[in-house]
Amino acid sequence: MAGETVITVVGNLTADPELRYTQNGLPVANFTIASTPRNFDRAANEWKDGEALFLRASVWREFAEHVAGSLTKGMRVMAQGRLRQRSYQDREGNQRTAIELEVDEIGPSLRYATAQVTRAASNGGGGGGGQSRPAQQQQVSEEPWSTPGSSTSADAWSTPGSFGDDTPF
């Protein structure tokens, strides 16, 4: 949407994502990303950590269940989303403001790690509302966007320019 502040944050999860459900049964996962800048100090000839940014983040619906089932404390992640500001009253009655990241996309950083990706079965809602159902694991097929039950091939993603229809990128 126009006028929203979209950012990308790279950092480590400070704890496992906390999966909860609203009174209406809507899943939401909350977590914190710690992003610490590193700068090279030429005088000392060494890398030094800067001040860490701890950013609260949230994801909703089936996305929340995927995040909670896939990411764990300490994982280095890349998250992109929109900053949201909200005001609230603390227990002492003071007015507070919090800035949080409403995540649109998140995944593990592959800079220092590897990952095995398993596609979850779609609920047919195109990522929209509706009642969520548990994610089902599915093998990658010759055509990565095909329906469950089609032929599978482990190297479907590794053949450059081929997504099952021999059409180059």
Side-chain angles (χ1 to χ4, degrees):
M1 293 186 149
E4 292 185 307
T5 305
V6 177
I7 66 166
T8 301
V9 177
V10 178
N12 296 72
L13 296 182
T14 62
D16 289 348
E18 178 187 349
L19 181 63
R20 295 179 302 125
Y21 294 87
T22 66
Q23 291 179 353
N24 296 332
L26 198 63
V28 59
N30 295 301
F31 50 94
T32 300
I33 301 171
S35 181
T36 307
R38 295 196 57 155
N39 299 306
F40 190 74
D41 182 348
R42 292 180 191 211
N45 200 31
E46 65 183 8
W47 288 95
K48 293 194 176 182
D49 288 339
E51 190 172 335
L53 167 71
F54 293 91
L55 187 60
R56 289 291 296 162
S58 63
V59 293
W60 291 84
R61 297 180 176 78
E62 190 175 20
F63 189 14
E65 293 172 335
H66 294 173
V67 166
S70 302
L71 303 177
T72 57
K73 176 182 179 177
M75 277 188 169
R76 186 173 178 86
V77 297
M78 296 183 303
Q80 183 176 40
R82 293 160 281 131
L83 288 179
R84 297 284 187 221
Q85 179 175 305
R86 66 179 176 88
S87 297
Y88 64 97
Q89 214 172 48
D90 67 13
R91 292 180 182 161
E92 289 80 38
N94 300 317
Q95 195 67 19
R96 301 283 184 186
T97 300
I99 296 175
E100 300 170 337
L101 181 64
E102 190 173 304
V103 176
D104 293 321
E105 296 287 341
I106 188 168
S109 169
L110 301 181
R111 183 172 209 152
Y112 306 110
T114 62
Q116 176 89 26
V117 177
T118 304
R119 185 165 181 206
S122 174
N123 65 0
Q131 197 64 15
S132 176
R133 63 179 184 196
Q136 299 171 356
Q137 292 187 350
Q138 171 183 329
Q139 293 287 330
V140 175
S141 67
E142 292 273 347
E143 212 173 342
W145 297 275
S146 65
T147 56
S150 60
S151 64
T152 60
S153 171
D155 63 356
W157 292 95
S158 61
T159 307
S162 176
F163 285 104
D165 64 357
D166 295 327
T167 305
F169 290 95

